[in-house]
Amino acid sequence: MASLSNYLENQIIDWLLRGQAYTPPATVYIGLSTTATADDSFGTEPSGNNYGRVAVSASLANWAGTQAAGSTTASTGTGGQTSNNVAINFPTPSGSWGTATHWFISDAASGGNLLFHSPLTASKTIGSGDTVSFANGALTVTIG
């Protein structure tokens, strides 16, 4: 299960219960970390060697509306869960990115605000020419 960041928790509380404006990002960015992430930390992102966060637009086509990948309808039921409906493909590394241990979702291509974060199911050592991606349905975000 992905954890909400402190930033996103505060935005939701302020919007829902305190009447404050919150405009969710139209595009989110998926990133990797070689150290543990936390509610207030991206951890250590790879740098150089063609690393970059991957942009994914907020849409029913890109994110499943139910607990099943491939759904393109709005969320229903009690799951509070979504997953990617499209493959999330990182650029091909031109050198080592180290060993990725965590993933995160941000509201910017670099810097920005952390939204969600989670450990990878299994760490992955990433070298030059490797394929780095989350297959359809492989990146799951659960609020609960």
Side-chain angles (χ1 to χ4, degrees):
M1 176 167 64
S3 296
L4 276 76
S5 69
N6 290 342
Y7 167 82
L8 188 55
E9 290 170 350
N10 289 331
Q11 294 301 311
I12 291 169
I13 288 293
D14 283 352
W15 166 76
L16 186 63
L17 300 177
R18 300 183 71 221
Q20 301 302 299
Y22 175 64
T23 303
T27 301
V28 295
Y29 298 84
I30 314 305
L32 300 171
S33 179
T34 59
T35 61
T37 55
D39 289 354
D40 62 354
S41 173
F42 292 103
T44 304
E45 274 189 274
S47 65
N49 297 320
N50 209 31
Y51 171 79
R53 296 177 186 174
V54 179
V56 181
S57 298
S59 72
L60 293 176
N62 290 335
W63 297 97
T66 64
Q67 294 182 11
S71 170
T72 57
T73 60
S75 298
T76 60
T78 59
Q81 185 176 67
T82 190
S83 62
N84 57 311
N85 266 344
V86 296
I88 297 170
N89 299 309
F90 285 83
T92 302
S94 60
S96 175
W97 289 359
T99 300
T101 60
H102 290 71
W103 62 265
F104 62 83
I105 299 176
S106 173
D107 63 3
S110 65
N113 297 296
L114 179 65
L115 303 174
F116 297 96
H117 63 99
S118 183
L120 292 169
T121 303
S123 297
K124 177 171 176 55
T125 300
I126 302 169
S128 182
D130 285 348
T131 298
V132 184
S133 68
F134 290 98
N136 294 13
L139 191 137
T140 301
V141 177
T142 305
I143 299 175

